[in-house]
Amino acid sequence: MTWTFPTSRISHDGAGTVALETCHRVSDYTAVARRRGQVFWTSSQLPDGATALDVHCPECAADRGLTVSGTWGAPAELTCLCGHSWTPRLPGLLPEQLLRQLIRLAADGPIKAIRYHLIKVDAADTHPTPLHDAVRPLVADAGRELHRRAWIFSDDETRVASDLLTQAGLRAYWSPEALEALARQTRTEEEQLARVVDMYRALAERSRWTGNRLGRFLAQATAVLKPIKVLTMDGLEPGPTWSGVSPVLEDARSALGAVHVILAAGATGDVDY
Ligand SMILES: [Zn+2]
């Protein structure tokens, strides 16, 4: 079991939306002010006008203090205080969707970094970054070739690389105004995911009809980054990251970023990084 956390109350509207109420001990969050017995509640809301139906134990009808357990993408298992365990079937919601929704609601707590540590059983594990790790050797090789001037971008390669960077919304030089606009921009995780998938598709598309050294680099990179193509919101398990986005998305972003660094270096001739 990867995630496990006690709840105060789980309710749903009978149409696929769940709300979660949880009780927190203050001492879990502050190391200094450890006043015994101090608690606070967090809760999410059902849509306006919805009737709140409480999830309850099929054996003893308990609807408070249910513990949620499960691994990301698997069905939720609930356990009541008497120790009965079951997988709830709610209308309009698959059991694995229920787990994902409850985890998202629970992980959206007040102090995320500590909350993950409390509700994710294997939170101590370092987060693997499979995509960035997979693309790293290719990027290192390409970077070395550029640095030694063993690979100098042709006009055609420069044009393709510039196109790809522009398409990805990247530029070699940022004006103060552009930087300011960038800082103001806030994207939802969904928008960021769509952007990452678009960037991947653009690279894969170009690799198909670019035959030179750049074409080979793009083909190799997009082959190892293929999992990005099928990333969906469902796959984005929450976790502690510096940026606050899912570790899976963060990994995909940094892997693509590494490829873009090569494109920018080759296209600008600035290869002494
Ligand atoms: Zn029970």
Side-chain angles (χ1 to χ4, degrees):
M1 292 286 172
T2 305
W3 297 84
T4 182
F5 51 96
T7 70
S8 305
R9 178 186 179 205
I10 302 166
S11 48
H12 67 107
D13 64 352
T17 308
V18 270
L20 176 71
E21 192 180 297
T22 42
C23 177
H24 306 254
R25 285 193 305 255
V26 175
S27 58
D28 285 336
Y29 296 91
T30 60
V32 193
R34 264 174 209 251
R35 288 235 234 106
R36 231 186 313 160
Q38 250 190 0
V39 295
F40 64 96
W41 274 265
T42 56
S43 60
S44 56
Q45 304 294 321
L46 288 173
D48 280 348
T51 312
L53 305 161
D54 283 349
V55 175
H56 58 85
C57 172
E59 286 189 55
C60 69
D63 60 2
R64 294 293 189 275
L66 307 177
T67 295
V68 180
S69 318
T71 53
W72 189 256
E77 188 178 80
L78 299 187
T79 310
C80 75
L81 291 171
C82 310
H84 307 128
S85 286
W86 77 102
T87 293
R89 313 262 161 197
L90 305 184
L93 204 60
L94 296 168
E96 60 268 28
Q97 283 296 352
L98 172 64
L99 182 82
R100 291 195 192 103
Q101 286 208 27
L102 290 174
I103 290 173
R104 284 191 196 284
L105 293 173
D108 214 12
I111 310 173
K112 286 191 181 187
I114 304 174
R115 193 78 194 126
Y116 288 125
H117 149 74
L118 292 174
I119 69 178
K120 195 170 184 187
V121 175
D122 49 4
D125 295 357
T126 52
H127 281 286
T129 56
L131 293 177
H132 196 174
D133 283 353
V135 85
R136 206 187 299 269
L138 296 172
V139 168
D141 281 352
R144 250 193 310 275
E145 276 178 60
L146 288 173
H147 186 70
R148 287 201 310 252
R149 309 290 196 273
W151 177 18
I152 296 170
F153 272 32
S154 66
D155 288 350
D156 187 44
E157 287 173 319
T158 303
R159 195 175 46 76
V160 169
S162 306
D163 279 0
L164 283 169
L165 291 170
T166 310
Q167 236 177 307
L170 303 169
R171 44 180 110 186
Y173 304 102
W174 291 85
S175 66
E177 297 77 34
L179 270 177
E180 209 179 298
L182 188 76
R184 273 200 309 270
Q185 203 171 53
T186 49
R187 288 196 176 95
T188 65
E189 206 167 56
E190 201 159 7
E191 288 164 344
Q192 295 189 44
L193 173 65
R195 215 169 102 79
V196 159
V197 174
D198 278 354
M199 284 188 210
Y200 172 83
R201 290 218 175 106
L203 295 176
E205 182 94 349
R206 287 299 177 120
S207 76
R208 244 170 274 137
W209 49 269
T210 311
N212 42 30
R213 174 68 181 95
L214 179 61
R216 278 210 317 282
F217 171 68
L218 291 177
Q220 290 170 330
T222 51
V224 298
L225 297 181
K226 215 168 189 165
I228 294 178
K229 203 165 82 174
V230 290
L231 265 186
T232 62
M233 281 304 286
D234 280 350
L236 302 188
E237 181 173 15
T241 54
W242 180 80
S243 61
V245 303
S246 160
V248 180
L249 190 55
E250 180 119 316
D251 174 40
R253 237 172 26 177
S254 69
L256 288 170
V259 172
H260 286 139
V261 164
I262 293 297
L263 298 183
T268 59
D270 186 8
V271 294
D272 295 320
Y273 61 87

